[in-house]
């Protein structure tokens, strides 16, 4: 393999009485890339039989060419150093008892991961037993800010000290704070304040992934982070950064870039558990249209099913002929339909999906027979997605159902796996009853509770004990492939349960929250975390899922939720209805906030392209752009869309003002360009926030390609583009880009070239000439669509007037007939508008404005 190998004897500690002693072997597979270091520790006696996530399940992408680049294999008494001439990372092994190692930066000597033990504290030892593995690293408590390690509902984005973060996928509603929820992501981002020696600048960041699917506790004290997990091996990845954005690019390079989402999925979605029949669903669609509120996608929960069986329709309340007419009408109006699937297949010999599953032998087994669980339909068997035949079965069922009803996307729920029953533990089984109790549900409840027992068997005798956290990931992968096969288009999958790499196949929502002000605030840390996890298409149930919402809460929630990457209103059966047209004030806020979202659709979609090609999140913490501003590290109540659109919502009742943090520079309100905030250094500003308004600002240095608002994304895409240019104040050029394709081709930015990328730049030449220009990659697609730019708006000019202008395209000087310029003076800045343009977006252009 290349790399370095050391073998050590037994590791013993105070835990020795509980766990089987093992000898271990350390395999260093060195630097897989210049920015990624892998450290792998496993049992030397396992002969490769110790569980680790197989390559075919999560395809790691090592760059083997870097293995030959090892430069230094230095030894000092008690130490061995390894480095790579292209990397800033240094790996140090300490020949101590107990054994330890560290990872540091060459450029600054900053220690990123320090697993050297404190001899007086066994909690810091590296322990490697049959069903208990412990790995601990010290941290600089005064400099380190940690984010990630999900999925949990937290009041803050930055992790607070002295907590245990458990990873064991469970059907526990996200309304519950500080307990393990639906997904497991043992990855964290560490952004650091500068050290006293100033060798490392503020904002220097790195990432850490422990790739392990077994149940796990991560104990974070601030001074130390300690992993305690109940099986598998240590497969540790270090990502060098040094910027937060670099870290996520490097992380998703390993685990897989996010799957592209169809353009329509960035519209507004409506769902409810409890729609009684198709006629009520149709009335909801009609009421949105009547209220003038955009509605892109209508959803149904399990209500549409016949006795809650997958791939069926209730013949009385959701008859097939009416459902077909409903889907066809939606499609004619440029709208879409998404329905739900649960993994449990009803045990019913008259039910085709069950019969075909039994014939294929694809269900998870226990004691040699399909495991019998209980979910919404009653007794169920669960498909085994580790089984290739199970994947094929699932894809066939989706295709058969799609042939009957032309739905547009799939929502896969209950896939932790959720089970309404709890099976008794197998006597004397250390799988069903392991010696170390992870803090499941915050109470150390049994890992078998409300799920499939750990002794159940998947394909190739893989135990549920090892594969439990992978189930939702595997179902997402199978569903994604099935939708491509069934529709021939880019798939939309929304999964509740996730794992490392799920973003390669699915979107996610944060699960069963509640209609409370606290839950409203918690959505921001949750959404930002999933951006770190490589799942950028994420949102929360707008207005709250459980409990009755209120008019004020729902109004404030849609103001925020309109800017989630995934924007859906969803509520629970027996709660009051909360569709956005119910209250007039909510409807007005929805039209205003969603109106801006729909104008920003080209920006959101371009961010999806960037996520798919580079891994960067759509919704981002402020420190992603302003990493040297250490005040941004603690912000949990605001976020950025992309690098420069700041969302500052109201999160408290009865509030008409919001205290918002603005980093250095000029910020312009996207609802009213004449309202701006200017900062020489970052600080808080109190903003007016009347009941119907949310504050959304664009930062200087950004260029946004926007279109008009509309009732559907299809209609919005048919409107002209406007370029919004926010000039830089320090002499730097402004920049932006827009990615264009048909919005539903399976590949995004594929080699066949049915797409275009238009890059914009702007700046000031000398003291008087503003320029705005475009450069195009793969322009043929955009040319064929005949999209045009009809307006350019320039913000950030402090004084001046437009004496003259020149406009050039690839065909030379552009005619000026019908074009006008307008200056709007308001406050500190002048707004320049150039209207009446008819620039084909697929042709390069340059606009020069003389302003003195």
């Amino acid at each position: 393999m290349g790399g370095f190998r050391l073998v050590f004897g037994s590791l013993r500690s105070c835990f020795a009485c509980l766990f089987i002693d093992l000898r271990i072997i350390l395999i260093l597979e060195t630097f897989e890339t210049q920015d990624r270091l892998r450290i792998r520790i496993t049992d030397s006696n396992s002969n490769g039989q110790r569980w680790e996530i197989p390559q075919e399940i999560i395809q790691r992408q090592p760059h083997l060419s870097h293995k030959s680049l090892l430069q230094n294999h230095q030894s000092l008494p008690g130490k061995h150093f390894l480095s790579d001439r292209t990397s800033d990372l240094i790996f140090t092994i300490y020949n101590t008892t107990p054994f330890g190692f560290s990872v540091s930066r060459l450029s600054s000597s900053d220690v990123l991961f320090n697993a050297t033990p404190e001899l007086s504290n066994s909690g810091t030892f590296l322990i490697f037993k049959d069903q208990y593995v412990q790995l601990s690293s010290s941290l600089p408590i005064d400099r380190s800010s940690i984010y990630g390690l999900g999925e949990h509902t937290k009041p803050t984005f930055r992790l607070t000290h002295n907590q245990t973060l458990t990873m064991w996928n469970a059907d526990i509603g996200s309304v519950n704070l500080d307990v393990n929820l639906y997904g497991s992501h043992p990855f964290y981002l560490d952004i650091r304040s500068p050290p006293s020696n100033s060798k490392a600048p503020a904002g220097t960041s790195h990432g850490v992934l422990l790739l392990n699917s077994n149940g796990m506790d991560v104990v974070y004290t601030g001074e130390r982070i300690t992993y305690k997990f109940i099986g598998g091996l240590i497969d540790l990845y270090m990502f060098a950064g040094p910027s937060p954005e670099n870290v996520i690019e490097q992380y998703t390079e390993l685990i897989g870039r996010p799957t592209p989402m169809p353009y329509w999925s960035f519209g507004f979605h409506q769902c409810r558990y409890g729609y009684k029949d198709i006629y009520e669903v149709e009335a909801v669609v009609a009421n949105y249209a009547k209220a003038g509120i955009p509605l892109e996608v209508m959803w149904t929960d399990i209500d549409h099913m016949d006795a809650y069986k997958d791939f069926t329709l209730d013949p009385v309340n959701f008859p097939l002929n009416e459902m077909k007419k409903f889907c066809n009408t939606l499609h004619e109006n440029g709208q879409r339909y998404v329905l739900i699937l649960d993994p449990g297949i009803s045990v019913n010999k008259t039910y085709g999906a069950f019969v075909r599953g039994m014939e294929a032998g694809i269900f998870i087994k226990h004691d040699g027979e399909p495991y019998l669980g209980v979910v919404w339909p009653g007794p169920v068997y669960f498909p085994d997605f580790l089984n290739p035949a199970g994947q094929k079965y699932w894809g066939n069922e989706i295709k058969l159902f799609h042939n009957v009803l032309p739905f547009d996307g799939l929502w896969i729920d209950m896939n932790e796996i959720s089970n309404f029953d709890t099976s008794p533990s197998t006597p004397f089984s250390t799988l069903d009853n392991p010696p170390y109790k992870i803090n499941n549900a915050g109470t150390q409840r049994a890992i078998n509770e409300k799920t499939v027992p750990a002794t159940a068997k998947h394909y190739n005798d893989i135990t549920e004990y090892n594969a439990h956290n992978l189930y939702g990931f595997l179902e997402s992968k199978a569903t994604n492939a099935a939708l491509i096969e069934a529709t021939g288009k880019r798939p939309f999958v929304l999964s509740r349960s996730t794992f490392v790499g799920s973003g390669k196949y699915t979107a996610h929502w944060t699960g069963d929250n509640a209609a409370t002000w606290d839950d409203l605030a918690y959505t921001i840390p949750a959404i930002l975390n999933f951006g770190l996890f490589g799942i950028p298409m994420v949102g929360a149930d707008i207005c709250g899922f459980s409990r009755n919402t209120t008019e004020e809460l729902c109004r404030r929630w849609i103001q925020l939720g309109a800017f989630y990457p995934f924007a859906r209103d969803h509520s629970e059966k027996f709660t009051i209805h909360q569709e956005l047209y119910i209250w007039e004030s909510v409807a007005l806020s929805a039209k205003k906030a969603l109106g801006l979202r729909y104008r920003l659709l080209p920006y959101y979609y371009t961010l999806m392209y960037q996520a798919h090609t580079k891994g960067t999140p759509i919704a981002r913490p402020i420190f992603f752009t302003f990493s040297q501003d250490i005040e941004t590290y603690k912000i949990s109540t605001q976020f950025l869309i992309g690098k420069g659109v700041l969302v500052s919502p109201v999160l408290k009742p009865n509030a008409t003002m919001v205290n918002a943090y603005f980093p250095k520079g000029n910020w312009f309100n996207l609802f009213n360009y004449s309202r701006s905030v200017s900062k020489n250094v970052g600080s808080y500003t109190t903003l007016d926030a009347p009941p119907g308004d949310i504050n959304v600002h664009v930062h200087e240095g950004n260029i946004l390609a926007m279109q008009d608002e509309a009732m559907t994304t299809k209609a919005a895409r048919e409107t002209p583009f406007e370029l919004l240019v926010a000039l830089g104040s320090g002499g730097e050029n402004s920049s932006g880009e827009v990615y264009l394709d048909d919005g539903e081709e399976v590949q995004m930015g594929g080699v066949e070239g049915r797409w275009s990328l238009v890059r914009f730049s702007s700046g000031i030449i000398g003291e008087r000439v503003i320029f705005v220009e475009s450069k195009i990659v793969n322009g043929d697609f955009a040319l064929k669509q005949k999209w045009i730019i009809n307006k350019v708006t320039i913000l950030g000019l402090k004084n001046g007037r437009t004496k003259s202008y020149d406009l050039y395209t690839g065909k030379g000087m552009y005619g000026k007939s019908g074009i006008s310029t307008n200056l709007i003076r308001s406050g500190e800045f002048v707004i320049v508008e150039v209207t009446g343009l008819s620039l084909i977006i697929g042709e390069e252009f340059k606009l020069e404005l003389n302003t003195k």
Side-chain angles (χ1 to χ4, degrees):
M1 289 292 291
F4 191 75
R5 168 187 170 108
L6 286 176
V7 181
F8 294 85
S10 296
L11 299 179
R12 299 177 181 274
S13 74
C14 61
F15 289 87
C17 59
L18 293 178
F19 310 106
I20 302 170
D21 254 348
L22 296 171
R23 293 177 61 83
I24 67 167
I25 182 170
L26 172 67
I27 303 174
L28 171 64
E29 295 191 356
T30 67
F31 297 84
E32 296 189 334
T33 73
Q34 65 181 22
D35 303 311
R36 184 171 82 231
L37 172 66
R38 185 184 187 189
I39 303 159
R40 187 171 178 273
I41 302 173
T42 188
D43 169 18
S44 63
N45 297 324
S46 68
N47 296 317
Q49 297 304 305
R50 192 173 180 93
W51 168 253
E52 66 176 313
I53 301 170
Q55 175 75 17
E56 60 269 21
I57 295 177
I58 298 180
Q59 296 179 5
R60 277 82 87 194
Q61 300 164 10
H63 291 214
L64 299 178
S65 61
H66 280 271
K67 292 187 180 295
S68 63
L69 299 179
L70 288 174
Q71 181 178 351
N72 296 317
H73 289 209
Q74 302 179 38
S75 293
L76 293 174
K79 297 181 182 180
H80 194 99
F81 301 92
L82 293 142
S83 63
D84 181 291
R85 64 176 176 266
T86 67
S87 179
D88 193 34
L89 299 179
I90 299 175
F91 181 72
T92 304
I93 301 168
Y94 301 91
N95 292 332
T96 57
T97 303
F99 156 76
F101 66 88
S102 67
V103 179
S104 58
R105 287 195 189 278
L106 176 65
S107 59
S108 64
S109 302
D110 200 11
V111 179
L112 310 184
F113 198 89
N114 189 0
T116 55
E118 299 172 6
L119 298 183
S120 62
N121 181 2
S122 63
T124 69
F125 294 178
L126 192 157
I127 301 172
F128 204 99
K129 306 294 181 180
D130 186 34
Q131 287 182 270
Y132 180 80
V133 182
Q134 177 177 287
L135 175 66
S136 184
S137 169
S138 60
L139 292 167
I141 190 170
D142 57 333
R143 296 181 48 230
S144 177
S145 292
I146 298 291
Y147 310 85
L149 298 173
E151 177 181 14
H152 310 88
T153 298
K154 298 286 183 185
T156 62
F157 179 42
R158 181 169 64 179
L159 293 178
T160 56
H161 300 168
N162 301 313
Q163 61 175 304
T164 297
L165 301 109
T166 299
M167 296 179 204
W168 182 254
N169 295 357
D171 181 1
I172 298 174
S174 57
V175 68
N176 298 281
L177 279 173
D178 300 325
V179 295
N180 51 301
L181 301 178
Y182 315 106
S184 293
H185 295 270
F187 167 80
Y188 70 82
L189 171 72
D190 185 342
I191 183 169
R192 294 197 170 174
S193 304
S196 57
N197 64 16
S198 298
K199 285 187 177 181
T204 303
S205 304
H206 66 275
V208 180
L209 167 67
L210 180 63
L211 187 57
N212 183 291
S213 63
N214 290 92
M216 182 184 304
D217 285 338
V218 182
V219 181
Y220 173 58
T221 65
E223 295 179 325
R224 183 167 288 279
I225 188 166
T226 303
Y227 301 88
K228 303 178 178 184
F229 46 104
I230 60 175
L233 48 79
I234 296 171
D235 198 0
L236 191 72
Y237 290 85
M238 302 291 302
F239 305 94
S243 73
E245 187 170 334
N246 293 153
V247 171
I248 304 308
E249 289 176 3
Q250 294 154 13
Y251 178 51
T252 56
E253 180 185 29
L254 173 70
I255 66 169
R257 302 292 197 207
T259 185
M261 293 288 150
Y263 199 97
W264 57 261
S265 66
F266 288 94
F268 179 71
H269 304 241
Q270 176 63 49
C271 187
R272 176 174 171 83
Y273 173 33
Y275 288 132
K276 63 181 183 296
D277 56 34
I278 183 58
Y279 309 107
E280 184 178 18
V281 175
E282 289 174 334
V284 169
V285 176
N287 285 334
Y288 268 95
K290 182 179 179 181
I293 302 171
L295 176 63
E296 185 74 15
V297 190
M298 193 65 207
W299 296 52
T300 54
D301 207 310
I302 58 175
D303 310 288
H304 72 264
M305 298 178 182
D306 180 13
Y308 302 136
K309 300 191 297 291
D310 281 345
F311 314 112
T312 66
L313 295 171
D314 180 335
V316 175
N317 296 313
F318 293 86
L320 176 58
N321 63 325
E322 294 298 325
M323 289 295 287
K324 281 184 174 181
K325 286 194 291 185
F326 171 65
C327 284
N328 291 337
T329 300
L330 287 178
H331 294 159
E332 289 169 4
N333 293 334
Q335 295 169 300
R336 310 283 173 155
Y337 173 56
V338 172
L339 54 78
I340 194 170
L341 293 175
D342 294 334
I345 299 297
S346 176
V347 177
N348 183 330
K349 292 182 180 179
T350 66
Y351 172 38
F354 171 76
V355 173
R356 289 184 289 272
M358 290 299 292
E359 290 172 348
I362 52 81
F363 295 115
I364 295 171
K365 293 181 171 54
H366 194 238
D367 296 330
E369 298 294 331
Y371 172 73
L372 185 65
V374 177
V375 200
W376 297 111
V380 296
Y381 292 161
F382 298 103
D384 179 6
F385 294 107
L386 280 168
N387 187 339
Q391 300 164 28
K392 182 178 179 181
Y393 158 82
W394 190 250
N396 183 61
E397 294 303 317
I398 289 172
K399 189 171 184 179
L400 289 173
F401 195 45
H402 190 267
N403 289 341
V404 173
L405 185 68
F407 52 84
D408 298 285
L410 287 172
W411 168 23
I412 50 176
D413 196 14
M414 308 290 285
N415 50 352
E416 293 74 31
I417 301 170
S418 175
N419 184 4
F420 296 167
D421 194 16
T422 298
S423 300
S425 297
T426 301
F428 310 111
S429 169
T430 59
L431 296 183
D432 284 343
N433 188 25
Y436 176 76
K437 312 298 182 189
I438 62 172
N439 196 31
N440 188 21
T443 60
Q444 295 186 334
R445 82 177 188 186
I447 60 173
N448 280 3
E449 189 166 329
K450 300 300 182 183
T451 190
V452 173
T455 44
K457 291 289 185 73
H458 294 259
Y459 183 71
N460 275 347
D461 279 341
I462 295 172
T463 62
E464 175 71 8
Y465 184 85
N466 290 325
H468 172 83
N469 284 341
L470 297 173
Y471 192 84
F473 166 90
L474 291 164
E475 187 190 16
S476 300
K477 183 177 180 180
T479 306
N480 181 290
L483 276 175
I484 294 174
E485 176 67 21
T487 69
K489 297 178 181 179
R490 190 178 303 168
F492 176 79
V493 181
L494 183 77
S495 177
R496 190 169 75 176
S497 183
T498 60
F499 186 70
V500 173
S502 281
K504 190 176 179 181
Y505 307 105
T506 187
H508 176 66
W509 92 107
T510 61
D512 295 348
N513 60 14
T516 74
W517 288 93
D518 284 342
D519 283 71
L520 169 65
Y522 300 157
T523 67
I524 296 175
I527 285 168
L528 294 179
N529 266 313
F530 273 89
L532 302 186
F533 299 151
I535 308 178
M537 190 59 161
V538 58
D541 286 345
I542 293 171
C543 297
F545 176 70
S546 64
R547 307 184 194 175
N548 288 328
T549 196
T550 66
E551 180 177 358
E552 183 191 12
L553 176 60
C554 196
R555 183 176 66 241
R556 290 302 191 186
W557 210 319
I558 185 54
Q559 291 170 9
L560 169 60
F563 301 98
Y564 295 157
F566 169 63
R568 183 185 70 163
D569 181 322
H570 182 42
S571 56
E572 190 174 29
K573 198 172 188 177
F574 305 124
T575 61
I576 63 172
H577 278 260
Q578 60 185 41
E579 290 82 6
L580 300 182
Y581 52 76
I582 297 291
W583 294 284
E584 184 178 358
S585 73
V586 176
L588 290 172
S589 286
K591 285 191 279 189
K592 185 172 183 178
L594 289 172
L596 179 56
R597 181 195 178 88
Y598 274 59
R599 292 187 67 210
L600 290 171
L601 282 172
Y603 183 60
Y604 274 88
Y605 193 62
T606 300
L607 293 173
M608 180 71 258
Y609 169 73
Q610 294 172 1
H612 177 58
T613 54
K614 297 194 299 181
T616 48
I618 296 172
R620 306 176 188 180
I622 300 176
F623 65 70
F624 258 57
T625 300
F626 303 95
S627 60
Q628 294 194 1
D629 184 345
I630 62 175
E631 285 298 312
T632 64
Y633 302 173
K634 62 186 179 183
I635 294 175
S636 301
T637 56
Q638 298 168 266
F639 61 96
L640 291 171
I641 298 297
K643 68 175 184 176
V645 174
L646 179 64
V647 181
S648 306
V650 170
L651 302 172
K652 299 290 184 182
N654 305 313
T656 57
M657 307 186 86
V658 63
N659 196 30
Y661 188 83
F662 287 88
K664 179 182 177 180
N666 298 321
W667 297 83
F668 303 93
N669 189 304
L670 283 176
F671 291 103
N672 183 345
Y673 300 156
S674 65
R675 294 165 57 189
S676 62
V677 176
S678 297
K679 298 289 183 180
N680 292 322
V681 295
S683 63
Y684 282 90
T685 292
T686 300
L687 301 171
D688 288 334
D693 292 352
I694 183 174
N695 282 278
V696 183
H697 292 78
V698 63
H699 187 241
E700 64 175 60
N702 287 275
I703 301 177
L704 303 180
M706 307 166 71
Q707 288 177 284
D708 286 345
E709 56 186 88
M711 293 292 286
T712 65
T713 63
K714 180 181 178 181
R717 295 198 84 187
E718 295 171 352
T719 65
F721 282 87
E722 172 192 349
L723 292 187
L724 181 65
V725 180
L727 294 174
S729 61
E732 303 90 355
N733 285 356
S734 301
S735 63
E737 63 183 26
V738 62
Y739 173 82
L740 304 164
D741 66 10
D742 71 358
E744 60 182 13
E745 188 174 84
V746 173
Q747 286 192 331
M748 192 179 210
V751 294
E752 294 184 9
R754 289 189 289 272
W755 55 272
S756 297
L757 181 65
V758 186
R759 294 192 171 106
F760 304 102
S761 61
S762 179
I764 300 178
I765 303 170
E767 295 184 356
R768 64 179 188 175
V769 178
I770 300 172
F771 74 89
V772 181
E773 64 181 354
S774 69
K775 299 292 181 183
I776 299 175
V777 179
N778 226 30
D780 287 347
F781 174 80
L783 281 172
K784 292 175 182 177
Q785 306 308 308
K786 299 181 180 179
W787 283 309
I788 65 166
I789 300 169
N790 74 345
K791 182 178 180 181
V792 175
T793 302
I794 300 171
L795 310 178
L797 187 66
K798 289 208 169 183
N799 52 62
R801 58 192 180 89
T802 54
K803 291 180 63 178
S804 62
Y805 68 90
D806 292 310
L807 181 56
Y808 305 90
T809 69
K811 298 175 182 177
M813 182 75 74
Y814 190 88
K816 298 183 179 182
S817 176
I819 300 174
S820 62
T821 60
N822 184 33
L823 266 70
I824 303 169
R825 300 179 185 276
S826 178
E828 184 180 358
F829 298 103
V830 174
I831 300 169
V832 181
E833 294 181 338
V834 184
T835 58
L837 297 168
S838 188
L839 293 171
I840 297 174
I841 201 169
E843 287 185 354
E844 294 183 352
F845 73 89
K846 184 171 185 179
L847 171 66
E848 293 183 353
L849 288 161
N850 188 330
T851 62
K852 293 271 187 180

